[in-house]
C-alpha cells in the first residue's frame, strides 16, 4: 500500500478529474531539464561544409546565422533553446601560421577548462572536418588530430565526399595513420546534383552511430534527442526504456489491485510517455499530447483521466481485463503498458519524420494515426485467438 500511496501523491491521483496530457507535458519538461547537454568541439577550415553538416545532423537549424555567440576570437559557441547540445566551432584554420597558433592556444584553453573538476560544459567528443575533395591529410591536420585524440574521442569527418571511391581511399589512409581516432567517416550531408543525376546524402547515420557509442553515457540521451538523422535509433532506445516501465506496472499489479486504483498504473504510464517524448526530441505541446493520449483512451474531449486511459487499453489488449474480483492483474497491467508503449512510439516516429521534413502534423492527423495503430494491435490479437 505504501507504494500505491507514493504513486498517488506524486501524480496527484490520476483519477476522473486529472489531466494526463498536462501531466505528461510537465514530466517531459522535467526530463528535458535534467538532461546533461552534449558538447562537441567542431574543428575544420572555413568552407569544408561544417554548417551544412550541423544542420543535416541536428534539429532546428543550429548553424543558422545569428544563433552562435563568440567565446574567443576563433571559437564560436552554438546552441539553441530546446536542443540539449552545445557546439564549439573553430574558425581560422585556413589563415596564416600566426592565426593557426592562436586557434591552437584557444582550443588548449577550452580543453583545460573542460577537464577542470566541476566544469559546467565538459567536452564529450571532437568532430574534425576535412574536405574529402582535397584527397590528402595535411601534416598540420595529422598533428592536430593526434593531439586531440589523446584528450577526447575524435571522429574525422570527410565532408563533401562526392567522389565516393576517392573519399573511401582517403578514409582508409587516415585510419592507417594510427592517430587514435574513433573512426574516419566520409559524408555527403545533403543531396548533391551532378548534371541530370542526384547524389543522395550518405554517411550521416554512421557518424551518429559512432558518436553515440564513443561519448560518455551521461551525454548519450541528449545526443539522441538532438540528432534528427536516425529516428529508428530513437525508437529502439524508447522501447528499451518502455520495458522498465512494463516491469514496474507488472510489479504494481503483482498483487491484483482494485480497478478503482487504475490511476496507479496510469502513473507509471505517464512517466513512460514523458520519457519517450523526451527521447524523440520533437516540438511537443499540450494539443499534440492531448491528441495522442485522447486517441489511446478513446476520449474525444480535451481532458483524459488515468481511469479512462487504463479502461480503454484493457478493452483493446487481448487477454487483459478485470478479474472477477474487480481487480487488475500484473499480467494485464504489463500487457496494456506494452501496448501503450508500442502505439506511442510508432506515433512519435511519424511525428518526428513529419517535423524533421518541415511538415506540420495536425491534431486530427495524430488522432487518426493512433487509432489506426490501435486497430492493428486489436486485429493482431484477434488473429492470435483463432
Amino acid at each position: 500500500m505504501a507504494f500505491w500511496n507514493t504513486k498517488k501523491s506524486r501524480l496527484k491521483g490520476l483519477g476522473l478529474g486529472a489531466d494526463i496530457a498536462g501531466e505528461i507535458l510537465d514530466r517531459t519538461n522535467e526530463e528535458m531539464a535534467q538532461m546533461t547537454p552534449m558538447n562537441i568541439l567542431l574543428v575544420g577550415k572555413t568552407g569544408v561544409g561544417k554548417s551544412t553538416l550541423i544542420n543535416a545532423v541536428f534539429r532546428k537549424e543550429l548553424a543558422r546565422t545569428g544563433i552562435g555567440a563568440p567565446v574567443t576570437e576563433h571559437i564560436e559557441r552554438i546552441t539553441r533553446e530546446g536542443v540539449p547540445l552545445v557546439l564549439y566551432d573553430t574558425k581560422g584554420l585556413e589563415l596564416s601560421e600566426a592565426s593557426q597558433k592562436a586557434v591552437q592556444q584557444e582550443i588548449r584553453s577550452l580543453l583545460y577548462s573542460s577537464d577542470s573538476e566541476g566544469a559546467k560544459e565538459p567536452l564529450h567528443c571532437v568532430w574534425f572536418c576535412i574536405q574529402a575533395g582535397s584527397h590528402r591529410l595535411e601534416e598540420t591536420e595529422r598533428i592536430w588530430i593526434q593531439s586531440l585524440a589523446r584528450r577526447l574521442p575524435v571522429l574525422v569527418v570527410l565532408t563533401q565526399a562526392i567522389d565516393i571511391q576517392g573519399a573511401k581511399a582517403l578514409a582508409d589512409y587516415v585510419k592507417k595513420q594510427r592517430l587514435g581516432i574513433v573512426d574516419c567517416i566520409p559524408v555527403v550531408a545533403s543531396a548533391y546534383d551532378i548534371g541530370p543525376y542526384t547524389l543522395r546524402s550518405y554517411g550521416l547515420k554512421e557518424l551518429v552511430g559512432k558518436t553515440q557509442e564513443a561519448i560518455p553515457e551521461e551525454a548519450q540521451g541528449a545526443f539522441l534527442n538532438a540528432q534528427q538523422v536516425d529516428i529508428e535509433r530513437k525508437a529502439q532506445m524508447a522501447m528499451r526504456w518502455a520495458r522498465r516501465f512494463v516491469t514496474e506496472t507488472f510489479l504494481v499489479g503483482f498483487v491484483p489491485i482494485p480497478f478503482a486504483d487504475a490511476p496507479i498504473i496510469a502513473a507509471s504510464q505517464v512517466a513512460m510517455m514523458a520519457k519517450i517524448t523526451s527521447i524523440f526530441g520533437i516540438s511537443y505541446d499540450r494539443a499534440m499530447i492531448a491528441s495522442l493520449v485522447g486517441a489511446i483512451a478513446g476520449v474525444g474531449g480535451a481532458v483524459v483521466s488515468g481511469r479512462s486511459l487504463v479502461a480503454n487499453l484493457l478493452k483493446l489488449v487481448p487477454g487483459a481485463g478485470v478479474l472477477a474480483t474487480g481487480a487488475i492483474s500484473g499480467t494485464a497491467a504489463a500487457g496494456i503498458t506494452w501496448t501503450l508503449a508500442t502505439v506511442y512510439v510508432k506515433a512519435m516516429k511519424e511525428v518526428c519524420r513529419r517535423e524533421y521534413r518541415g511538415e506540420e502534423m495536425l491534431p486530427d492527423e495524430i488522432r487518426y494515426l493512433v487509432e489506426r495503430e490501435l486497430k492493428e494491435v486489436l486485429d493482431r490479437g484477434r488473429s492470435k485467438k483463432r
Side-chain angles (χ1 to χ4, degrees), residues 129-170:
C129 300
I130 299 172
Q131 191 173 37
S134 68
H135 298 296
R136 64 195 180 102
L137 175 68
E138 296 179 4
E139 181 62 16
T140 53
E141 291 171 330
R142 188 189 66 78
I143 294 170
W144 271 66
I145 292 168
Q146 196 165 38
S147 176
L148 288 167
R150 295 191 187 105
R151 308 283 291 273
L152 291 166
V154 174
L155 293 99
V156 177
V157 186
L158 302 182
T159 60
Q160 303 172 5
I162 299 165
D163 176 3
I164 297 175
Q165 293 303 317
K168 184 180 182 302
L170 179 57

Side-chain angles (χ1 to χ4, degrees), residues 24-281:
I24 293 171
L25 199 61
D26 291 343
R27 290 293 295 273
T28 303
N29 289 334
E30 289 175 16
E31 289 283 348
M32 291 296 298
Q34 292 169 9
M35 252 181 213
T36 300
M38 166 74 176
N39 306 307
I40 300 177
L41 176 60
L42 198 63
V43 182
K45 296 177 180 178
T46 301
V48 299
K50 288 182 290 180
S51 294
T52 304
L53 177 68
I54 292 168
N55 287 335
V57 174
F58 300 113
R59 304 188 284 114
K60 294 191 176 181
E61 293 188 321
L62 277 176
R64 196 177 70 191
T65 302
I67 295 295
V71 176
T72 65
E73 183 180 353
H74 299 100
I75 297 177
E76 184 180 28
R77 182 180 182 274
I78 302 172
T79 188
R80 192 165 183 180
E81 186 177 356
V83 183
L85 178 81
V86 178
L87 296 170
Y88 287 93
D89 184 16
T90 59
K91 302 178 184 299
L93 292 184
E94 71 288 347
L95 301 178
S96 65
E97 186 177 342
S99 292
Q100 289 186 28
K101 287 183 178 179
V103 176
Q104 289 177 358
Q105 184 55 49
E106 289 170 18
I107 290 177
R108 287 193 194 98
S109 297
L110 182 63
L111 289 170
Y112 179 79
S113 300
S114 171
D115 290 343
S116 301
E117 189 174 346
K120 289 184 178 180
E121 291 184 356
L123 292 170
H124 297 118
C125 76
V126 179
W127 284 2
F128 198 106
C129 300
I130 299 172
Q131 191 173 37
S134 68
H135 298 296
R136 64 195 180 102
L137 175 68
E138 296 179 4
E139 181 62 16
T140 53
E141 291 171 330
R142 188 189 66 78
I143 294 170
W144 271 66
I145 292 168
Q146 196 165 38
S147 176
L148 288 167
R150 295 191 187 105
R151 308 283 291 273
L152 291 166
V154 174
L155 293 99
V156 177
V157 186
L158 302 182
T159 60
Q160 303 172 5
I162 299 165
D163 176 3
I164 297 175
Q165 293 303 317
K168 184 180 182 302
L170 179 57
D172 290 341
Y173 173 78
V174 172
K175 291 175 187 178
K176 290 176 182 177
Q177 300 307 299
R178 298 183 180 179
L179 302 175
I181 61 174
V182 174
D183 208 340
C184 180
I185 303 169
V187 304
V188 169
S190 61
Y192 192 88
D193 291 331
I194 307 173
Y197 305 102
T198 298
L199 176 63
R200 294 182 179 180
S201 64
Y202 74 90
L204 297 178
K205 280 191 178 181
E206 185 181 358
L207 175 60
V208 164
K210 293 288 186 178
T211 302
Q212 183 84 24
E213 294 167 5
I215 59 178
E217 186 176 353
E218 65 266 19
Q220 290 179 5
F223 181 72
L224 194 61
N225 172 289
Q227 66 89 15
Q228 63 178 0
V229 172
D230 196 343
I231 295 175
E232 194 57 43
R233 183 177 286 269
K234 293 175 186 272
Q236 290 168 1
M237 177 61 74
M239 292 309 294
R240 281 200 289 271
W241 271 98
R243 290 185 181 91
R244 303 184 189 187
F245 289 101
V246 169
T247 301
E248 182 178 272
T249 52
F250 175 80
L251 294 174
V252 168
F254 187 72
V255 176
I257 64 174
F259 179 73
D261 282 332
I264 298 167
I265 296 172
S268 290
Q269 294 171 342
V270 163
M272 177 183 73
M273 286 186 281
K275 185 68 180 181
I276 290 171
T277 306
S278 71
I279 287 170
F280 273 94

